[in-house]
Amino acid sequence: MQLFQFWYEKALYSFKKNRIVVGIDELLYALYLAQVMKYYLGFEKCITLFREHRDYATEQQKLGYKHIVEGVFDL
């Protein structure tokens, strides 16, 4: 759980420093960790934060997000 928290907080920090693309990469890693750890609250937090910044995401980041989220619902 601490590893998830580290990457989530790192993403928040990047967003505050206006490093949006880097923040999205960090957020996607936190989302992946939440999925692997079955940390559902963290997963929801990441989805909410991604949706707030999705307009700034690259196509590759959007695809990565889609794969992580679909991986959860394909179980």
Side-chain angles (χ1 to χ4, degrees), residues 10-67:
K10 196 166 178 352
L12 288 176
Y13 180 79
S14 292
F15 291 144
K16 287 178 186 173
K17 292 295 183 180
N18 214 22
R19 294 189 302 238
I20 306 300
V21 174
V22 171
I24 292 171
D25 281 337
E26 295 163 348
L27 182 64
L28 288 175
Y29 192 63
L31 181 65
Y32 167 75
L33 290 171
Q35 176 198 13
V36 170
M37 297 182 333
K38 297 184 181 351
Y39 179 41
Y40 303 114
L41 179 61
F43 194 82
E44 290 175 17
K45 287 170 56 174
C46 288
I47 288 176
T48 301
L49 194 56
F50 182 84
R51 288 181 178 166
E52 290 175 16
H53 295 90
R54 83 171 131 215
D55 292 342
Y56 303 102
T58 66
E59 289 304 314
Q60 185 176 356
Q61 288 171 325
K62 290 176 185 175
L63 187 61
Y65 171 81
K66 182 179 176 200
H67 283 287

